[in-house]
Amino acid sequence: MNITRTNVDALNAVVTVAVSKNDYASKVEKVLADYRKNASIPGFRKGAVPMSIIQKQYGKAVLLDEVNKVLQENLNNYLVEEKLDILGNPLPKVTEDFDWNKEDFTFDFELGLAPEFSVDLSAKNNITAFKIIADDKMLNDQVERIQKQYGKLISKDTVEEGDDLNVTFENEANGINNTTSISLDAFKDKKTAKKFVGKKVGDVVEISTKGLFDDDHKLMDYLKVDHDLVHGLDIEVLAKIEGITTSEKAELNQELFDKLFGEGNVTSVDEVKAKIKEDAEKQFAQQADQKFLNDVTDFLLENTKFDLPAEFLIKWLQNAGEKPLTEEEAREEFAKSERGLRYQLIEGKIMTENNLQITFDDLKAFTSELIKKQMAQFGQMNPTQEDIDGIVARVLSNQDEVKRLSEQVMSEKMLGLFKDKVKAKSKEVSYEQFVKEMYGE
C-alpha cells in the first residue's frame, strides 16, 4: 500500500491511498471461505457450495467491506505516524466512474489542517481583575435583613412608610404580570413610595419604570422584565396591593446569634458582620473569577489571529451529523460554531505549551472538596474521610460525571495560569460597582 500527501495550501491537503490486490486479497478469500462453510443453498450440502456461487453472491460486498477496512486502518495509522493535526475527519473525494472491477484502487481524501499560530498571554490588554468587597452598606443592609427575617411579621390594613407589600405588577402590552414582595424602601424615587402611603389592600397604584430603582436590573427581579429590555425602560405599570405587612425587627442578641451561627460561635454584631463579609466575599470571588475568565477568553479570541479551512469544514459539517445538511445549513452551523472551535484550538495550544494536565489525583481531590461543600449545605459539617471516599468512588464511576468534573478542573487550572501570566490591572469594588462594570454601565 502506498500513501502520499499533496499540500493544497497551509490549511488543506489531499491524501492519496493506493490499494493493491495484495493488500486485501487474502482477507477477502478468508471471509468468502467462512461464508462457504456456513452457506445453506438448496441443492448443495452445507459446506459444499461451489466457490463460484459464493463469489457471485457475496464477492462484491465482501470486497468493498475488506477494502474499506484496510483503507481506514492504514489511513488512520498514516495520520498518527505523520503527526498531522487535522480538523474534522478526512473527506473522501467522490469519483462517479469508480470501477470496482479492477484489482488495484486509488482513493483520495481531503484533509482540513489545523492552523499554525502562537498565543501571547503576556500581551498588552485592557483586562481588569476585580476584587469584590462587602462594604459597610452591604453589611448593614444584610444585618437589617436578618433582623426583619427573624422578626415578628404584623399584617396591616393601611400602608405606612417603611412597610413591606405584596404587590402584583401588571402591564398587558409588555407582558408584565408578576406578584412579588417589595419594601417601600426599595423604590429609588421617594415620590413613588409616597404614592402607596395611605393605600389599602386591593388598591391599585400607577407607577413609571423610569428610575424606579437604583439599578435598572432590579426590574428583572420585581417585574420579570427581560434583561434586553431593562435599560432605560420607560413604561407605566399598575401595582395592585395584595397584602401589607410590617416587621418588628428581631433584637441583635445572643439568642439570635446562636440561631444563626450555632451556640457560642458568634457573640457580637461585629462578629456577625465579619461572618457575613467572609461568606459574601467567597461568593463574590467566584463571580469575579468567572468575569476574569470570560474577559481573557474574549481577549484571546480577538487577538489570536489565524485562518481556518472554512470551506472544508462546511463540507464536513454537511455529513458529520445524523441528518445530512444542505450547504446553506452547514454554512449557518459553521458560523455558529466557529468561535467555539477557535477557542478550542487556542485552549489546546495553551494546555500543550504550559503542560496543563489532569491527573486522577486532581480529579479525586476536586470531587472530594465539592462533596464536602455540598454536605455542609445540608448541615453535615464533619463527615468521615471514609464516607467522602465512598461518594467520590461512586461519582467517578460515572463517565459523564468524570467528563463534567474534568472540564471544571481544567477550567480552574486555566484560571490559575491566566492569573499568573495575563497582565491585568487590579481593581477593588463593591458588589454594586461590580454589577455596573459587568453590564458596561
Side-chain angles (χ1 to χ4, degrees), residues 34-49:
D34 289 340
Y35 276 28
R36 187 186 182 205
K37 289 178 185 176
N38 298 295
S40 296
I41 296 179
F44 299 96
R45 297 192 316 275
K46 185 176 181 180
V49 179

Side-chain angles (χ1 to χ4, degrees), residues 192 195-196 199 204-208 235-240:
T192 300
K195 286 185 177 182
F196 289 88
K199 301 295 183 183
V204 176
V205 178
E206 186 174 1
I207 59 176
S208 171
I235 60 174
E236 297 300 313
V237 175
L238 298 179
K240 182 181 179 183

Side-chain angles (χ1 to χ4, degrees), residues 37-317:
K37 289 178 185 176
N38 298 295
S40 296
I41 296 179
F44 299 96
R45 297 192 316 275
K46 185 176 181 180
V49 179
M51 181 56 80
S52 58
I53 294 178
I54 298 296
Q55 177 69 42
K56 184 176 180 180
Q57 190 165 350
Y58 302 108
K60 181 61 66 69
V62 171
L63 172 67
L64 266 62
D65 190 40
E66 293 304 314
V67 168
N68 185 59
K69 288 179 183 177
V70 168
L71 180 63
Q72 293 300 326
E73 180 183 354
N74 285 274
L75 178 59
N76 290 337
N77 290 340
Y78 173 81
L79 296 176
V80 172
E81 291 167 3
E82 293 293 311
K83 298 180 180 178
L84 289 178
D85 192 2
I86 66 172
L87 302 179
N89 293 314
L91 285 178
K93 296 184 75 172
V94 178
T95 305
E96 294 183 3
D97 58 349
F98 193 85
D99 185 4
W100 283 101
N101 292 314
K102 296 191 300 182
E103 294 185 342
D104 298 333
F105 311 102
T106 300
F107 302 92
D108 289 331
F109 292 87
E110 296 178 67
L111 301 182
L113 305 178
E116 292 288 336
F117 62 92
S118 60
V119 181
D120 186 4
L121 293 178
S122 62
K124 185 178 179 181
N125 61 70
N126 294 317
I127 298 170
T128 299
F130 290 99
K131 180 181 180 182
I132 310 171
I133 60 169
D135 59 8
D136 289 340
K137 180 181 181 300
M138 170 176 278
L139 297 177
N140 290 332
D141 287 347
Q142 187 63 24
V143 169
E144 187 173 351
R145 192 174 296 115
I146 290 171
Q147 286 183 273
K148 283 187 175 183
Q149 181 182 347
Y150 287 88
K152 185 178 179 182
L153 209 59
I154 302 170
S155 295
K156 299 177 61 178
D157 296 323
T158 305
V159 179
E160 294 182 87
E161 288 186 11
D163 284 348
D164 296 318
L165 308 179
N166 196 39
V167 174
T168 298
F169 292 108
E170 291 182 334
N171 180 298
E172 188 175 346
N174 290 273
I176 297 171
N177 189 319
N178 185 53
T179 302
T180 186
S181 296
I182 189 168
S183 170
L184 287 185
D185 297 336
F187 296 119
K188 178 183 178 183
D189 181 6
K190 300 309 173 188
K191 291 181 180 178
T192 300
K194 286 182 179 179
K195 286 185 177 182
F196 289 88
V197 175
K199 301 295 183 183
K200 298 181 181 299
V201 173
D203 287 348
V204 176
V205 178
E206 186 174 1
I207 59 176
S208 171
T209 59
K210 186 176 181 180
L212 187 59
F213 303 111
D214 57 5
D215 181 354
D216 281 347
H217 295 97
K218 290 182 179 178
L219 292 170
M220 293 188 292
D221 297 324
Y222 289 118
L223 275 65
K224 296 303 178 191
V225 178
D226 289 341
H227 172 262
D228 295 338
L229 301 176
V230 299
H231 300 284
L233 183 66
D234 186 6
I235 60 174
E236 297 300 313
V237 175
L238 298 179
K240 182 181 179 183
I241 301 172
E242 308 286 357
I244 308 165
T245 57
T246 190
S247 178
E248 187 179 281
K249 294 180 183 178
E251 286 187 38
L252 294 171
N253 55 26
Q254 193 60 47
E255 182 183 353
L256 179 60
F257 301 157
D258 290 347
K259 189 180 293 184
L260 290 170
F261 302 106
E263 188 173 347
N265 291 322
V266 168
T267 59
S268 69
V269 175
D270 286 342
E271 289 181 10
V272 169
K273 289 182 178 180
K275 281 279 189 183
I276 294 171
K277 183 178 178 68
E278 180 184 359
D279 292 343
E281 290 182 354
K282 281 181 182 178
Q283 295 181 24
F284 294 161
Q286 293 176 1
Q287 296 181 52
D289 284 346
Q290 188 58 56
K291 177 166 173 54
F292 177 72
L293 195 58
N294 293 344
D295 289 346
V296 173
T297 298
D298 290 340
F299 170 76
L300 291 174
L301 283 166
E302 181 65 28
N303 291 276
T304 308
K305 304 296 185 183
F306 54 84
D307 293 325
L308 292 171
E311 293 303 316
F312 169 84
L313 290 170
I314 289 166
K315 194 185 299 184
W316 174 71
L317 282 169

